[in-house]
Amino acid sequence: MIMTKRGIIKFVGGCMVMVLLAVWQHASLLEAYGSFFRKDNATLGADAIILLSAAKYARLKHALELGRDGFSPEIYVTTTPKPVSLEVLGLKYPSRMEWIAAVSKHLEIETPLAELPTSGDGVRSTFDEAYDALAWSKKNNYTRIIIVTNAFHSRRAHYAFEKVFRGSGIAVEVAAAPDPGFSQSNWWLIDSGLAAYLTEPLKLMAYMIFDHSPKFIENR
């Protein structure tokens, strides 16, 4: 059907109104988009807290505070592959567990913390972490665990764990730690936030398709 001149004017006017509303409300829309990827449903009394990926300060601090506040009596960090390049260069840095112990001492939190046993030389994806956590949970007769990761990654991580734990009878909850340098309220203003949130939909879709992380998705 051919639109009349009046119809075209109405259509164009309607589009302009929609664009203006989107621009006016862009912060609210972008924040709502960011909040979709954040999941935070941890409750008190879990058997263990599993700290995912690299034990960066904000994420580690959040896990330790959960332990202090009664969410779980023990914390495990997933095992990452050794940085061979540092050994070759002869550089000396504190080990991961030394760094973790130093942060725990600084925060004056004494929740027991150890490395989660792994079936390989270290985890390279959230799915790897989930399979290691499942084996450990079964061995120790856990009924509920809490995983800790950054907010932007929390929904995808929880989805991966629920996929791996399906049928095990072990419940998985997630605690969203603060993101490094950005949040769901300002991610579009910061380069690292853009990189995190704009690629997250593709990663989430990949996790829905695969039972192991594809090689093009790196552990975060």
Side-chain angles (χ1 to χ4, degrees), residues 16-143:
M16 290 181 66
V17 169
M18 290 179 66
V19 170
L20 288 172
L21 284 172
V23 171
W24 179 47
Q25 293 291 333
H26 79 282
S28 297
L29 293 171
L30 291 171
E31 184 172 352
Y33 167 86
S35 67
F36 170 78
F37 297 102
R38 185 180 189 275
K39 190 165 185 178
D40 195 2
N41 64 352
T43 56
L44 296 168
D47 294 299
I49 290 171
I50 310 294
L51 177 61
L52 304 189
S53 193
K56 295 180 180 178
Y57 181 74
R59 195 182 304 185
L60 173 58
K61 179 174 181 287
H62 194 62
L64 288 166
E65 289 172 343
L66 290 172
R68 178 199 61 197
D69 295 340
F71 281 80
S72 175
E74 55 190 25
I75 302 172
Y76 292 92
V77 293
T78 56
T79 306
T80 54
K82 286 186 176 182
V84 178
S85 59
L86 296 183
E87 294 178 356
V88 171
L89 293 172
L91 299 176
K92 294 182 180 180
Y93 292 101
S95 69
R96 288 176 75 243
M97 295 310 296
E98 288 173 338
W99 152 249
I100 287 167
V103 173
S104 180
K105 183 178 179 180
H106 171 71
L107 295 174
E108 299 181 346
I109 298 175
E110 299 180 355
T111 306
L113 200 152
E115 283 192 312
L116 182 71
T118 182
S119 57
D121 63 346
V123 298
R124 290 176 169 79
S125 74
T126 305
F127 275 117
D128 289 347
E129 293 172 313
Y131 286 113
D132 285 347
L134 177 60
W136 187 250
S137 297
K138 286 181 175 179
K139 181 178 179 179
N140 290 275
N141 298 315
Y142 291 161
T143 59

Side-chain angles (χ1 to χ4, degrees), residues 133-134 137-138 141-145 165-172:
L134 177 60
S137 297
K138 286 181 175 179
N141 298 315
Y142 291 161
T143 59
R144 180 164 59 92
I145 65 168
F165 275 65
R166 188 174 298 146
S168 68
I170 303 166
V172 180

Side-chain angles (χ1 to χ4, degrees), residues 145-190:
I145 65 168
I146 296 171
I147 60 172
V148 178
T149 189
N150 288 104
F152 80 89
H153 176 240
S154 54
R155 181 171 293 276
R156 175 163 55 97
H158 189 246
Y159 178 82
F161 267 73
E162 284 199 317
K163 200 171 187 179
V164 171
F165 275 65
R166 188 174 298 146
S168 68
I170 303 166
V172 180
E173 297 174 348
V174 61
D179 288 320
F182 57 88
S183 71
Q184 66 189 46
S185 301
N186 66 0
W187 62 267
W188 60 92
L189 301 175
I190 300 164

Side-chain angles (χ1 to χ4, degrees), residues 1-10:
M1 185 178 76
I2 300 174
M3 294 181 66
T4 64
K5 184 176 181 181
R6 186 175 180 181
I8 293 173
I9 292 173
K10 285 184 176 180

